[in-house]
Amino acid sequence: MTADLVYLVAGASLLLAVVLPALLDRWAVSAPMVLVAVGLAIGFTPLPDGLPLDPQENRATIEHVTELVVIVALMGVGLAIDRPLELRRRASWGRWSTTWRLLGIAMPLGIAAITLLGWMMGAPLAVALLLGAALAPTDPVLASDVQVAGPQTGDHEVDESDELRFTLTSEAGLNDGLAFPFVYAAILLATHGELGLEWVGWYLVGKVVVGVVAGIVVGRVLSYVAFRSNSDSLRVAERGESLLALAALVSAYGVGEIVGGYGFLSVFVCAMTFRSAERSHDYHAAMHEVAERLERLLTLFVLLVLGIALSRGLLQALDWRGVAIGVALVFLVRPVTGLIALSPMARREKPPLDRGQRWAAAFFGVRGIGSIYYLAYAAGETDELGVDWLWSTVAFTVVLSVFVHGVLASPVMKRIGARA
C-alpha cells in the first residue's frame, strides 16, 4: 500500500503544480501554504496510514529527496540571475555588495544567535549549533514570490533591474552551500568534542573553494559544448534541447561532491558560469523553464508530505523552546541581522537598496527544504543530532516561515516595487 500512496501523493502534487499558480494569482496566498494545509487535512484522515512519515525511520529518504529539490532549485536560481559576476573585475564584485553583506554578516550572526538561544535553553552545544546552521540559509525553493522571475534574453544588455529581488535571489543561491561548514562544525562537536584547524582549513575554506572551482569547470565545459562545439550534434543550444539543465545540475553536483567540495555551491556556480556564456541567448530561458517546472513538482510533493507528517506526530516533541526559537528567528533574528548587514557603511554612501527595500530584504529570510536536508544529513552522521526535538523545531520553523512569508510576500513586494 505504501507505493500506491506515494503515487497518489505524487499525482496530487503534479495536479496542484499545474493549477495552483494561476488559481492563486489574485490572492495573497502562496502554493506552499495551500500544500501544507492540504497535507494537514489529509493527515487527519485514514488515507496516509501506509505512508512512511517517521523522520527517524526514513531519514535517508528524506535526505536524498530534499537534496534533489535543493539542487534543482539552485540550478534554476543560477540561470535566472541576470547580473553577471566577472571574477577579474572589482567593479563587478561591488555590484553584488548586498549579497556579500547578507552572506558575510547576517548569516554568521544568525547562526550565532540561534546557537546561543538554543544553548541557553538547555540544548547541548552541538545540537544548538546544528539548529543554527540548519536554519541559517534562506531557501531558494520556497522564496519564488520574492525572487527574480527568470532570465532575460534578447538583443539587449542583460542585467538586473530589481535590486531587492536580486539580493534575495543571489543570497538564497549561495548560502545553502555556505551553511555547510557550520553543519560540519556541529557534527565534529558531537563526534569529537572540539573544532580544530581542520575545520577552518578544510571545511570552512577548502571545501568552499573546491566546490566553486568544480562548478566553474563544469559550467565552462558544458557551455562550450552547448554553444561552440565543432560538432553540430553537440551544439544542443541550437536545437533548444533544454534537458541539458538536468544533466548540468546532476553533473555539477556529482563532480563537486566527488572532488570533496560542497555540491550545492558547485551547482549554483555551474549555472552562473553557463549563463555567462552567450548571456542573451534564448536557450537560457528554455533551460530555466525545465528546472523551474521540476522544482515546482518536487517542492509541492515534499510540502504535501510535510503537511501530512505534521498531523501525524512530527510536532510531538515540540515544546516552548522550539516555538520560541522559531518565532525569534522569523520575527527578530533574521530581520535584525539583515538590517545590520544592509545598513550603509558610511553616511555619504548611497546604498543599493532604499530604506523600505532594506527592511524587506531583512525580513524575507524564508526557511524551507534546505533546513530539512541539513538536519537529515547531520542525523545520518551521528544519532545525537537526530533527536526528535530538532525535527519538531525545524518543522515548526519551516511551516511558520511558509505561512508568515507566504501571506506577506505579494503585498509587501508590490508596495516596495511600486515605490522603487
Side-chain angles (χ1 to χ4, degrees):
M1 187 62 180
T2 298
D4 297 333
L5 282 171
V6 171
Y7 279 119
L8 177 60
V9 172
S13 300
L14 180 58
L15 177 63
L16 291 169
V18 173
V19 302
L20 279 181
L23 191 63
L24 301 176
D25 187 54
R26 299 180 180 180
W27 307 91
V29 178
S30 67
M33 293 169 57
V34 174
L35 263 295
V36 172
V38 170
L40 276 166
I42 293 174
F44 288 112
T45 71
L47 184 61
D49 286 342
L51 199 64
L53 298 172
D54 190 333
Q56 301 288 13
E57 296 179 2
N58 302 282
R59 184 210 59 79
T61 300
I62 294 171
E63 176 187 343
H64 294 306
V65 171
T66 53
E67 179 181 40
L68 178 60
V69 178
V70 172
I71 63 175
V72 171
L74 290 174
M75 175 59 68
V77 167
L79 291 171
I81 293 178
D82 291 323
R83 179 167 298 172
L85 178 58
E86 300 175 41
L87 299 181
R88 298 180 181 179
R89 293 185 57 191
R90 184 176 179 180
S92 179
W93 285 80
R95 300 192 66 200
W96 285 61
S97 62
T98 52
T99 306
W100 309 138
R101 290 186 183 188
L102 287 174
L103 294 173
I105 301 174
M107 190 172 76
L109 287 178
I111 293 174
I114 295 300
T115 300
L116 180 61
L117 194 58
W119 181 67
M120 291 176 62
M121 290 181 176
L125 182 57
V127 171
L129 179 55
L130 175 61
L131 187 61
L135 294 175
T138 54
D139 203 74
V141 182
L142 301 181
S144 58
D145 289 338
V146 295
Q147 292 182 353
V148 297
Q152 301 179 57
T153 59
D155 296 329
H156 59 274
E157 184 177 352
V158 176
D159 198 353
E160 293 292 350
S161 58
D162 192 323
E163 191 69 31
L164 173 58
R165 291 184 182 274
F166 162 75
T167 298
L168 292 168
T169 305
S170 55
E171 179 201 10
L174 284 165
N175 64 14
D176 269 290
L178 295 178
F180 233 130
F182 302 96
V183 174
Y184 275 113
I187 294 171
L188 291 173
L189 279 177
T191 55
H192 296 91
E194 61 180 3
L195 298 179
L197 292 177
E198 179 189 11
W199 179 77
V200 176
W202 177 236
Y203 292 102
L204 184 61
V205 178
K207 289 175 74 70
V208 170
V209 173
V210 172
V212 170
V213 172
I216 292 173
V217 171
V218 175
R220 287 184 175 177
V221 170
L222 292 179
S223 63
Y224 177 82
V225 171
F227 294 106
R228 304 185 184 91
S229 174
N230 293 327
S231 172
D232 293 340
S233 61
L234 293 179
R235 288 199 303 274
V236 293
E238 294 180 359
R239 303 198 308 271
E241 182 50 78
S242 54
L243 287 179
L244 180 64
L246 302 185
L249 69 91
V250 174
S251 300
Y253 189 75
V255 170
E257 290 291 318
I258 287 173
V259 298
Y262 293 127
F264 286 169
L265 278 178
S266 299
V267 173
F268 180 74
V269 172
C270 171
M272 288 283 297
T273 303
F274 191 94
R275 182 69 202 282
S276 67
E278 306 292 338
R279 180 166 291 276
S280 297
H281 201 288
D282 291 339
Y283 186 55
H284 297 299
M287 288 182 64
H288 175 264
E289 184 176 0
V290 169
E292 184 181 41
R293 288 180 180 274
L294 180 59
E295 173 201 331
R296 185 186 303 168
L297 170 61
L298 292 171
T299 301
L300 297 184
F301 173 78
V302 170
L303 290 176
L304 195 60
V305 174
L306 175 62
I308 295 173
L310 290 174
S311 51
R312 288 288 172 135
L314 184 58
L315 297 180
Q316 281 185 349
L318 185 67
D319 56 14
W320 69 270
R321 299 177 303 161
V323 172
I325 289 172
V327 171
L329 174 67
V330 172
F331 293 104
L332 181 63
V333 174
R334 164 65 188 200
V336 170
T337 58
L339 286 174
I340 292 173
L342 296 173
S343 297
M345 297 297 184
R347 291 184 178 181
R348 296 182 179 180
E349 177 186 359
K350 183 180 180 181
L353 301 173
D354 65 29
R355 184 178 179 181
Q357 291 172 331
R358 290 198 299 274
W359 275 94
F363 180 74
F364 284 112
V366 183
R367 266 56 185 182
I369 308 300
S371 298
I372 299 173
Y373 165 75
Y374 279 128
L375 178 55
Y377 178 88
E381 298 296 316
T382 172
D383 292 339
E384 182 182 339
L385 299 179
V387 295
D388 289 337
W389 180 77
L390 274 174
W391 285 104
S392 295
T393 301
V394 169
F396 168 77
T397 306
V398 169
V399 172
L400 179 65
S401 177
V402 164
F403 281 90
V404 170
H405 294 126
V407 168
L408 295 176
S410 293
V412 170
M413 295 302 285
K414 286 180 181 178
R415 181 173 181 181
I416 297 295
R419 189 171 65 238

